[in-house]
Amino acid sequence: MRNLAWINGSVCNLSEASISLEDRGYLLGDGVYEIIRVYNKTPFYLSAHLERIKRSAREIRLPLPYSPVEIEAVITDLLKQSGCIEGYIYIQLTRGPAPRDHLFPVEPKPSMVFYVREMASPGGADAVKPGKCITLPDERWLNCYIKSTNLLPNVLARQKAAEAGAVEAILYRAGGIVTEATRSNVFAVIGDKVRTHPESKLILSGITRRIALDILEELDVPSAEEAFTIEDLSSASEVFLTSTTMEIKPVCAVDEKPVGNNKTGPVGRSVIKAFWDKIAEHCPKE
Amino acid sequence: MRNLAWINGSVCNLSEASISLEDRGYLLGDGVYEIIRVYNKTPFYLSAHLERIKRSAREIRLPLPYSPVEIEAVITDLLKQSGCIEGYIYIQLTRGPAPRDHLFPVEPKPSMVFYVREMASPGGADAVKPGKCITLPDERWLNCYIKSTNLLPNVLARQKAAEAGAVEAILYRAGGIVTEATRSNVFAVIGDKVRTHPESKLILSGITRRIALDILEELDVPSAEEAFTIEDLSSASEVFLTSTTMEIKPVCAVDEKPVGNNKTGPVGRSVIKAFWDKIAEHCPKE
């Protein structure tokens, strides 16, 4: 497939795509984004992602310059032109180019860019293979429910994790409360319940998080949107992460302390299997 | 003058300057910046700004791709080509273009861009004219000492201030502790002392803040790097802000409550006058 970009109406190769130096997304981080997986040529949970970018944009007072119908048309066309089978669509909306000033431009020209990139789905044994996590203080701003491009804290924490041989850094705030990880939500089986941080301004309302909660309900596994601490985490029998790009990722150790018996547990396995069923249902092979 | 940009070695008109869509500065906010004022064709406190961007870059583990001598040569050339007399130089350093991933690229290609833009110095009566401020909770991340481009919280707070008819939003954390404002440091005359938040991870180490502290010492005005609260602020006889672009800005009201007698006070006036003397000394008219 070809990795293609769509910038305010024109399509080009992603590697040649450029934006204005004075774009407020570049100078001020004044933008929001979404990533949507494509399985079997079909975007997965597209409308949930479009709802979320609309919400993020509203929270930073940035009107979407296109209607959902127009956005879906752009995506359909881009997927077709690129020949994408397995990949992802990236959307970034910024307050556009303007002479640098914190203040909103008097006549804002919001800029919306899309690109599509190849991305293999792990599938098979790799998908259930667990990974290690570290824990780090959550040093981000207090409005993490807005999916903004202000990702430097996430970048730095995730890099630390990788250098410690971990797939993710689980973040905690005062009192050791686990919020989420640098690019995923965190689920833990504590006692007889699967718990994850409730919706709040401190976490992103993950689409895969919501799918996982739905799956748990469908599977009749007791679950609750209840915060837990780093200490609770050390007594969890299972931990897994959810995100659009990582899908459902089991965790076998936190800060080098094994979780459960160091393997992907039964709840994690069931959720992964049900998640694959959802992909097959929503994005069927032709 | 012509507003010009320098991007990794090539000079063009700022309005035509572009960067890669996949630049990590645009996608992830993975970058730091500086703004340096130019008075009478001469950059003001250039070496202090270059030291600071080096520090910001080090804190995000991003090596400067050019030496200070090379950077100064770029700036000198850009100022000459643009014919800049009164303006500012903007420098942004990012971890460069790479397929989007939080992880640092294996072979990073840091990108450093400069631009120069015209900016008049207020001078005269306008410079001592005080402005109103509002107060807002400081919702930013915990590493504000790094001058990163993750400025969305600053953008939103500053916009709120403007809509309330204020020049700035003064930010406070738990316990009402004033940290700084969205784009300036805050000084308050409380009792017989001028106070400002001490250097910490929660504030930017402002160059103009440092100049103001030096001036206060030179003028024998008692001052201290001591935090104060919103409540302390309401009893302040004078408040002023310091920043590269705002210079020394007196404050006449905080949250609609007048400060002092609603006019620029004697300490503010003395600091402004001494600041102009510094400009004349460092950037003399030819």
Side-chain angles (χ1 to χ4, degrees):
Chain A
M1 68 165 279
R2 291 163 64 204
N3 298 324
L4 295 180
W6 184 100
I7 304 184
N8 300 314
S10 347
V11 174
C12 64
N13 286 322
L14 174 55
S15 58
E16 287 152 18
S18 67
I19 55 131
S20 167
L21 186 152
E22 288 192 294
D23 192 287
R24 292 174 61 93
Y26 180 69
L27 297 180
L28 300 163
D30 192 8
V32 295
Y33 75 104
E34 278 296 327
I35 293 178
I36 303 132
R37 283 297 287 273
V38 177
Y39 300 106
N40 301 316
K41 302 183 187 174
T42 310
F44 186 59
Y45 280 76
L46 177 59
S47 57
H49 286 280
L50 296 186
E51 265 308 305
R52 191 169 62 184
I53 199 167
K54 204 170 136 188
R55 180 190 179 202
S56 293
R58 188 184 63 227
E59 294 301 295
I60 70 163
R61 304 174 52 196
L62 177 52
L64 250 64
Y66 305 106
S67 71
V69 171
E70 287 170 316
I71 291 172
E72 287 186 39
V74 168
I75 290 173
T76 303
D77 184 51
L78 209 48
L79 288 176
K80 206 174 153 189
Q81 282 198 54
S82 66
C84 178
I85 297 167
E86 303 278 307
Y88 70 89
I89 299 149
Y90 179 88
I91 311 179
Q92 185 164 331
L93 171 66
T94 72
R95 218 175 306 268
R100 186 185 184 283
D101 191 333
H102 287 86
L103 289 182
F104 297 174
V106 180
E107 288 182 33
K109 299 183 190 85
S111 165
M112 198 158 187
V113 308
F114 298 74
Y115 71 72
V116 56
R117 216 184 220 295
E118 190 157 25
M119 184 184 206
S121 197
D126 265 3
V128 291
K129 201 178 146 192
K132 295 197 290 181
C133 287
I134 60 168
T135 60
L136 287 174
D138 192 343
E139 300 186 331
R140 300 172 304 159
W141 74 323
L142 299 181
N143 293 303
C144 293
Y145 73 109
I146 300 172
K147 199 166 170 72
S148 90
T149 56
N150 287 220
L151 292 168
L152 183 55
N154 307 61
V155 162
L156 296 176
R158 169 95 171 83
Q159 180 67 20
K160 265 195 194 168
E163 288 169 6
V167 292
E168 256 287 29
I170 292 174
L171 306 174
Y172 57 89
R173 294 214 181 240
I177 300 279
V178 170
T179 48
E180 57 185 344
T182 72
R183 50 173 186 148
S184 56
N185 294 109
V186 184
F187 285 70
V189 183
I190 298 164
D192 56 359
K193 242 187 337 197
V194 189
R195 284 158 66 180
T196 194
H197 196 286
E199 302 257 358
S200 91
K201 288 196 166 183
L202 298 180
I203 69 159
L204 183 75
S205 175
I207 310 287
T208 314
R209 171 184 178 280
R210 174 52 51 200
I211 297 172
L213 285 168
D214 288 347
I215 286 173
L216 289 167
E217 201 178 330
E218 286 158 24
L219 295 176
D220 269 332
V221 177
S223 68
E225 295 182 60
E226 272 176 24
F228 51 86
T229 64
I230 289 287
E231 208 187 323
D232 296 330
L233 202 62
S234 72
S235 73
S237 57
E238 289 186 48
V239 175
F240 58 89
L241 310 169
T242 61
S243 91
T244 294
T245 49
M246 300 173 81
E247 303 176 341
I248 313 288
K249 181 72 185 174
V251 174
C252 60
V254 176
D255 290 333
E256 300 298 339
K257 191 176 170 294
V259 172
N261 60 359
N262 226 331
K263 287 180 194 156
T264 302
V267 175
R269 279 185 186 275
S270 313
V271 176
I272 291 169
K273 198 188 157 298
F275 186 75
W276 288 345
D277 290 345
K278 294 245 182 242
I279 293 174
E281 179 196 336
H282 290 264
C283 309
K285 284 208 166 106
E286 277 168 6
Chain B
M1 65 166 280
R2 291 163 66 205
N3 298 325
L4 295 180
W6 183 101
I7 304 184
N8 300 313
S10 349
V11 174
C12 64
N13 285 322
L14 174 56
S15 59
E16 288 153 17
S18 67
I19 55 133
S20 166
L21 186 152
E22 287 192 296
D23 192 287
R24 292 173 62 95
Y26 180 69
L27 297 179
L28 300 162
D30 192 8
V32 293
Y33 75 104
E34 278 297 326
I35 294 177
I36 303 131
R37 282 297 285 273
V38 176
Y39 300 106
N40 300 317
K41 303 185 187 174
T42 310
F44 187 57
Y45 279 75
L46 177 59
S47 57
H49 286 280
L50 296 186
E51 266 308 305
R52 189 168 64 182
I53 198 167
K54 205 169 137 189
R55 180 190 180 202
S56 293
R58 188 183 63 226
E59 294 301 296
I60 70 163
R61 303 172 54 194
L62 178 52
L64 250 64
Y66 305 106
S67 70
V69 171
E70 287 170 316
I71 293 171
E72 287 185 38
V74 168
I75 290 172
T76 303
D77 184 54
L78 209 48
L79 288 177
K80 205 173 152 190
Q81 282 198 54
S82 67
C84 178
I85 296 167
E86 304 277 308
Y88 70 89
I89 299 150
Y90 179 88
I91 311 179
Q92 184 163 330
L93 171 67
T94 73
R95 219 175 307 269
R100 187 184 183 284
D101 191 333
H102 287 85
L103 289 182
F104 295 173
V106 180
E107 288 181 34
K109 298 184 191 84
S111 165
M112 199 158 187
V113 308
F114 298 75
Y115 71 73
V116 57
R117 214 182 222 298
E118 189 158 24
M119 185 183 205
S121 198
D126 266 3
V128 292
K129 201 179 146 192
K132 294 196 291 180
C133 287
I134 60 167
T135 61
L136 287 174
D138 192 344
E139 300 187 330
R140 300 172 305 158
W141 75 323
L142 298 181
N143 294 302
C144 293
Y145 73 110
I146 300 172
K147 199 166 171 72
S148 90
T149 56
N150 286 222
L151 292 168
L152 183 55
N154 307 61
V155 163
L156 297 176
R158 169 94 170 82
Q159 181 67 20
K160 264 194 194 168
E163 288 169 7
V167 293
E168 257 287 27
I170 293 174
L171 306 174
Y172 57 89
R173 295 215 181 239
I177 299 279
V178 170
T179 48
E180 56 186 346
T182 72
R183 51 173 185 147
S184 55
N185 295 108
V186 184
F187 285 70
V189 183
I190 298 165
D192 56 359
K193 242 187 338 196
V194 188
R195 285 158 65 178
T196 192
H197 195 286
E199 302 257 357
S200 91
K201 288 196 167 184
L202 298 180
I203 68 158
L204 183 75
S205 175
I207 310 286
T208 313
R209 171 186 178 278
R210 174 51 50 199
I211 297 172
L213 284 168
D214 288 348
I215 286 174
L216 289 167
E217 202 178 328
E218 287 158 24
L219 295 176
D220 269 333
V221 177
S223 68
E225 296 184 58
E226 274 176 23
F228 52 85
T229 64
I230 289 288
E231 208 187 324
D232 295 329
L233 203 60
S234 71
S235 73
S237 56
E238 290 186 46
V239 175
F240 58 88
L241 310 170
T242 62
S243 91
T244 294
T245 48
M246 299 173 84
E247 303 175 344
I248 314 288
K249 181 72 185 172
V251 174
C252 59
V254 176
D255 289 334
E256 300 297 341
K257 192 178 170 294
V259 172
N261 61 358
N262 227 331
K263 287 182 194 155
T264 302
V267 175
R269 279 185 186 276
S270 313
V271 176
I272 290 169
K273 199 189 156 297
F275 186 76
W276 288 344
D277 290 344
K278 295 245 182 241
I279 294 175
E281 179 196 337
H282 290 264
C283 309
K285 284 209 167 108
E286 279 168 7

